[in-house]
Amino acid sequence: MREECHPLLRGGSRGGGEDGRVYKHRLSSGEMEALASVCEALLPPLPLEDHASYYEGKNEELSGNKAVQSFYQASGAESGIPDEVAELLVKRAFIEAIILVRVVLWILSTRLGSLLLCGSLCLGDKWPFVYNFSCLPLEARERVLQWWFRHWFLTPIRLAFLYIKILCVFIFFSRVDENAENPAWKAIGYEVEPAANPERVPEERPLHKGIIETMYQTDTSLLDSLADKGLEVTHDSKNNLYKIKCDVVIVGSGCGGGVAAAVLASSGQKVIVLEKGNYFTASDYSSLEGPSQDQLYESGGILATFDGKVMLQAGSTVGGGSAVNWSACIRPPDSLLQEWAKDQKIAFFGGGEYVSAMNAVRERIGVTESCVEEGFQNQVLRKGCENLGLDVHFTPRNSSEKHYCGSCGYGCKKGEKKGTDTTWLVDAVDHGAVILSGCKAERFVLAKSYKSGSMRKKKCLGVVAKSLSNNITKRLEIEAKVTISACGALLTPPLMISSGLKNRHIGRNLHLHPVLMAWGYFPDSINSEFKGKSYEGGIITSVHEVVSEDSRPRAIIETPALGPGSFAALCPWESGLDMKKRMLRFSRTAHLITIIRDKGSGVIRTEGRASYELDASDKENMKAGLRQALRILIAAGAVEVGTHRSDGLRLKCEGIDKEGLEEFLDKVSAEEGPQSLVEKWTLYSSAHQMGSCRMGINEKEGAVDQYGESWEAEGLFVCDGSVLPSAVGVNPMITIESTAYYLSKRLAESLRNQKSSNVGVDSFS
């Protein structure tokens, strides 16, 4: 596999140590000793009798399973894992989190500090009578961690241990060696799907006509590449800039930017697309969780709200989220569009042009309505619903009905999913658009507007960007008639704010479609109704809508893609033994996700720093969805079910009666995050972010007008999920692409009119 995929997606050692490379985390020896002892307590080496109990005394079976024996004897402190934890912490965490973790580790490296944090567990009857954390027996260290994960008073310390736990188990189960293998995978029943044809010759890359990959460029070669693409470039040596002229510059290449690029380039505009991430194609993808998360997701897939409550997933590659999402193509509900049209007064959502936009989008990305063969998790969802008499529907997808790929979240190796990187951006480059990958926008270029009668006091002249390659020293200033921000609801607001825009709605109204999960274990056997493993098959092929007694939508239930690293990171940690037992069930544990249309919202004003609060009704809807998901799992035949709440809430299903089930379901809750002052807490997830630069009929109601133009700066438009007036309530790809299609179509028409009349770009106010 390593020879087939892109070098950046092959994995291998992240840092140093045995291969001679040097780690850069700069943690002291005392901090590293404490960190290693925490990692060992999280994933301890266990004696034979502990894992024999998992096999219910079947010692003969156990003695022949060397992979399981090796897995139980493995430790979270071995093979450089603590150094990789430290490296990832320093690279990805908030500076406050880094300081917090390092302070806790420093305290644990001293005897007095250990006494403060561990209490009597660090006392002994021999000199020196008080031991630091790393000198405690493994059982005592485990008890300390259990205590702190439950402790509600000093939650920052709990948060520090949680950071370490997430990084430790993610690295343990996702890292690979030079042969793209992980020693734990065989024991937990996981394997990476090989390429369909190992000897295939790489096909011509779909965007080869227009892509400039700055990671392979130098100052000189970049200048030549830009000129070769027909761009007018001048060198501003005084400011160390390359100045580039075009008609339209678009920041971002995902569901918004990709569509806008295609529409505007097809209308005759010279378009430049800036994309922070790198460019990969089907033949590049490896399906390896660790390196794929690192290269294809924002912050390497390790990004959370500032309080640690919600884990955020957002694409960061050419194609954006469309390159790594789970293919669901659900139309926005008619009731939602009418709400936006009437209550928010954004009229086009209720008109025929928007319906036409949705139809055009669905046709271009090849949406299909059914599925020939469902994977294990979707089989469970469908069967459980059928057994309960609940409605369950096939999920439309932008792939063929035969698409059976469980690794599309790491890029579709089969090349069957139609993200913007294989559809809209191809249309764009076919019409002369140029895409600069590995290139990050820094700020919009704003000047005072002297346009008579305009309410906008500024005008946008373009954008300043820099290559993320160390070989390029010059910044790029792209001058354009129209500038479009399409870098998503997490990045568009910080870019606008750092450029000097002040509208109060920029960065507010952030909706996340928060997710909690329920799980059910289905042992594999000859008589099992459900074939396959949890990571096989189409990711989302079935969907169930949870409704209230008066038929109001409360949540939807779907299935997720979880690699072993993500699975372990989200699982509650109760003990080292429990974690290893959970992981042995990995391949036959079905997860169902509950997604709600959140009324609560958050704020994102600085890159990477989002805050978020759930509304009381959100928590009630989440509970209703979780309880329904658990009922579905039980009805499908799970032998054990549970949630990811910190106390490991679970139920063994054999012999359970109706009264016992209801008693268990009454315990289900949607708790606050780990920083809240509660004993039981939970981690939420989000793969959908929207609303943080919402449309409004005036500047008091939104950050942009009903056509996506900034209320403050003429010629600056937003064309991504951040313009949506509220949460959608279903997977938003179709909504975002259709909105982008409508906005960019109207902008293209305005630019044509401007060209024919030889006047400035009309303001859409």
Side-chain angles (χ1 to χ4, degrees):
M1 175 187 293
R2 287 182 61 83
E3 300 304 319
E4 299 160 17
C5 63
H6 194 284
L8 290 175
L9 301 177
R10 291 176 186 170
S13 176
R14 286 187 176 88
E18 295 178 1
D19 62 0
R21 297 169 63 187
V22 178
Y23 289 108
K24 301 177 182 178
H25 54 69
R26 296 186 179 179
L27 268 67
S28 69
S29 58
E31 290 169 340
M32 286 306 303
E33 183 178 33
L35 177 58
S37 63
V38 172
C39 291
E40 185 181 37
L42 290 167
L43 287 170
L46 296 169
L48 183 64
E49 54 268 22
D50 284 338
H51 51 93
S53 65
Y54 174 77
Y55 281 90
E56 299 176 351
K58 298 177 182 177
N59 291 319
E60 183 178 340
E61 180 179 349
L62 178 62
S63 63
N65 196 328
K66 293 182 179 180
V68 173
Q69 291 181 35
S70 176
F71 171 60
Y72 264 94
Q73 292 164 4
S75 163
E78 65 186 24
S79 304
I81 290 175
D83 276 303
E84 292 191 25
V85 169
E87 199 82 351
L88 206 51
L89 174 75
V90 171
K91 181 179 180 182
R92 298 296 188 190
F94 300 119
I95 183 62
E96 294 89 344
I98 298 170
I99 293 171
L100 173 63
V101 171
R102 292 194 65 175
V103 167
V104 169
L105 292 176
W106 175 78
I107 292 173
L108 290 177
S109 70
T110 67
R111 284 182 286 172
L112 179 58
S114 297
L115 180 62
L116 290 172
L117 293 188
C118 308
S120 61
L121 287 172
C122 66
L123 297 177
D125 55 4
K126 295 181 180 179
W127 178 261
F129 303 115
V130 178
Y131 300 99
N132 61 25
F133 183 78
S134 62
C135 294
L136 298 181
L138 192 55
E139 295 79 7
R141 280 181 273 149
E142 184 175 73
R143 288 173 61 190
V144 170
L145 295 183
Q146 290 168 335
W147 185 59
W148 277 110
F149 276 124
R150 291 193 303 268
H151 205 289
W152 60 269
F153 184 60
L154 294 176
T155 56
I157 297 175
R158 176 165 72 190
L159 207 55
F161 284 128
L162 179 61
Y163 274 122
I164 296 171
K165 176 260 179 181
I166 289 174
L167 296 180
C168 176
V169 298
F170 180 81
I171 289 169
F172 184 92
F173 290 105
S174 69
R175 70 177 189 154
V176 293
D177 61 19
E178 63 277 4
N179 297 313
E181 295 176 352
N182 180 299
W185 287 354
K186 187 174 181 181
I188 67 175
Y190 180 69
E191 58 183 338
V192 174
E193 182 182 6
N197 180 8
E199 298 181 357
R200 63 183 174 175
V201 177
E203 299 174 3
E204 190 175 71
R205 307 177 88 200
L207 301 178
H208 74 282
K209 291 181 183 178
I211 191 83
I212 297 176
E213 298 177 80
T214 65
M215 65 184 292
Y216 301 125
Q217 301 284 333
T218 63
D219 285 331
T220 303
S221 67
L222 177 60
L223 185 62
D224 294 338
S225 296
L226 292 167
D228 288 344
K229 302 296 184 187
L231 292 168
E232 182 182 338
V233 187
T234 56
H235 181 201
D236 181 348
S237 56
K238 181 180 178 181
N239 295 304
N240 199 34
L241 287 172
Y242 283 149
K243 291 189 174 182
I244 309 166
K245 289 187 177 181
C246 64
D247 297 320
V248 179
V249 58
I250 301 172
V251 182
S253 63
C255 293
V259 173
V263 171
L264 290 163
S266 299
S267 72
Q269 305 300 320
K270 186 62 178 179
V271 174
I272 293 177
V273 178
L274 301 180
E275 171 54 56
K276 180 177 64 169
N278 293 315
Y279 177 45
F280 303 102
T281 67
S283 60
D284 293 325
Y285 295 129
S286 67
S287 295
L288 295 171
E289 181 182 20
S292 297
Q293 290 263 92
D294 184 65
Q295 289 294 317
L296 304 178
Y297 285 83
E298 186 63 32
S299 297
I302 301 173
L303 177 65
T305 53
F306 189 69
D307 63 358
K309 181 188 302 179
V310 187
M311 300 296 295
L312 304 170
Q313 294 263 285
S316 184
T317 183
V318 173
S322 74
V324 293
N325 69 17
W326 300 344
S327 305
C329 295
I330 304 175
R331 292 172 68 115
D334 290 339
S335 59
L336 173 76
L337 297 179
Q338 290 306 312
E339 175 189 319
W340 288 349
K342 294 179 180 178
D343 298 348
Q344 306 294 332
K345 297 182 174 57
I346 311 297
F348 74 80
F349 283 116
E353 285 185 89
Y354 195 74
V355 174
S356 298
M358 287 192 290
N359 291 337
V361 165
R362 286 168 55 85
E363 181 178 356
R364 182 62 187 97
I365 64 176
V367 175
T368 56
E369 300 288 344
S370 188
C371 176
V372 172
E373 180 184 7
E374 292 194 295
F376 167 68
Q377 293 192 129
N378 284 277
Q379 294 173 45
V380 168
L381 172 56
R382 182 169 297 277
K383 187 64 176 179
C385 287
E386 290 173 348
N387 288 346
L388 291 172
L390 302 173
D391 289 336
V392 59
H393 303 285
F394 283 112
T395 305
R397 298 182 294 163
N398 57 337
S399 61
S400 75
E401 295 181 349
K402 296 181 179 179
H403 187 55
Y404 193 83
C405 173
S407 61
C408 279
Y410 311 134
C412 183
K413 284 202 300 187
K414 297 183 178 180
E416 295 176 3
K417 185 176 73 171
K418 294 179 171 61
T420 63
D421 52 321
T422 59
T423 54
W424 299 107
L425 290 173
V426 175
D427 298 343
V429 299
D430 283 347
H431 288 87
V434 177
I435 302 168
L436 292 172
S437 67
C439 196
K440 179 177 171 60
E442 292 186 318
R443 61 180 174 85
F444 298 121
V445 179
L446 302 179
K448 187 174 181 179
S449 175
Y450 297 98
K451 187 174 182 179
S452 176
S454 174
M455 64 176 292
R456 295 172 169 87
K457 305 302 182 184
K458 299 178 181 180
K459 60 181 177 180
C460 186
L461 305 179
V463 63
V464 173
K466 68 173 181 178
S467 169
L468 300 181
S469 168
N470 293 328
N471 295 322
I472 297 177
T473 61
K474 292 176 174 55
R475 279 174 162 71
L476 307 178
E477 184 174 310
I478 301 168
E479 302 173 6
K481 302 172 188 174
V482 168
T483 302
I484 297 175
S485 184
C487 44
L490 297 179
L491 293 176
T492 281
L495 181 58
M496 296 180 77
I497 290 169
S498 66
S499 301
L501 298 179
K502 306 292 186 182
N503 182 286
R504 65 183 293 270
H505 291 285
I506 299 174
R508 300 178 68 179
N509 194 50
L510 173 66
H511 292 282
L512 299 180
H513 280 177
V515 165
L516 287 181
M517 301 188 193
W519 58 267
Y521 175 53
F522 297 79
D524 197 6
S525 68
I526 296 175
N527 299 323
S528 176
E529 182 177 359
F530 307 114
K531 304 301 179 184
K533 297 181 178 180
S534 60
Y535 54 88
E536 295 175 339
I539 299 170
I540 300 176
T541 59
S542 292
V543 59
H544 166 66
E545 184 179 38
V546 182
V547 297
S548 63
E549 291 182 358
D550 58 355
S551 300
R552 288 184 299 105
R554 302 196 70 178
I556 60 173
I557 295 176
E558 297 175 335
T559 58
L562 290 176
S566 301
F567 180 105
L570 289 172
C571 273
W573 184 88
E574 297 178 79
S575 69
L577 174 61
D578 178 72
M579 176 59 71
K580 289 193 172 182
K581 284 184 175 182
R582 284 177 182 268
M583 292 309 299
L584 285 177
R585 294 178 166 190
F586 164 76
S587 67
R588 294 290 294 182
T589 297
H591 275 87
L592 301 183
I593 57 175
T594 293
I595 304 175
I596 62 168
R597 184 190 175 203
D598 46 328
K599 291 183 179 179
S601 63
V603 176
I604 175 78
R605 297 181 59 83
T606 303
E607 186 173 334
R609 290 175 172 261
S611 61
Y612 181 78
E613 292 296 332
L614 288 161
D615 182 87
S617 63
D618 294 336
K619 295 179 183 179
E620 290 304 311
N621 289 334
M622 186 67 78
K623 282 196 291 186
L626 270 180
R627 290 169 180 173
Q628 186 84 310
L630 289 163
R631 288 189 182 97
I632 290 168
L633 290 163
I634 294 169
V639 301
E640 188 175 17
V641 298
T643 70
H644 285 168
R645 200 170 68 187
S646 62
D647 62 341
L649 179 68
R650 66 180 87 186
L651 171 73
K652 291 189 180 296
C653 303
E654 185 177 0
I656 192 73
D657 57 18
K658 184 176 181 180
E659 183 178 345
L661 174 58
E662 291 304 317
E663 183 179 339
F664 168 73
L665 293 176
D666 285 342
K667 298 176 183 177
V668 174
S669 58
E671 300 290 350
E672 290 290 338
Q675 199 165 313
S676 55
L677 298 177
V678 293
E679 180 180 334
K680 299 171 185 176
W681 47 272
T682 193
L683 275 178
Y684 293 79
S685 301
S686 166
H688 308 153
Q689 300 90 35
M690 66 218 92
S692 53
C693 276
R694 72 179 180 191
M695 294 177 174
I697 57 170
N698 55 52
E699 60 185 328
K700 294 181 180 180
E701 299 293 329
V704 299
D705 69 14
Q706 62 267 43
Y707 303 117
E709 189 172 18
S710 164
W711 284 112
E712 299 172 83
E714 174 191 338
L716 175 59
F717 294 79
V718 178
C719 200
D720 56 28
S722 63
V723 302
L724 301 181
S726 67
V728 180
V730 297
N731 307 67
M733 176 164 60
I734 292 295
T735 309
I736 295 172
E737 291 201 12
S738 301
T739 303
Y741 187 88
Y742 173 83
L743 296 178
S744 53
K745 273 285 189 183
R746 196 179 191 285
L747 178 56
E749 181 182 351
S750 176
L751 288 170
R752 279 195 299 268
N753 293 338
Q754 167 246 315
K755 186 175 182 180
S756 62
S757 60
N758 197 29
V759 295
V761 178
D762 293 333
S763 174
F764 293 138
S765 56

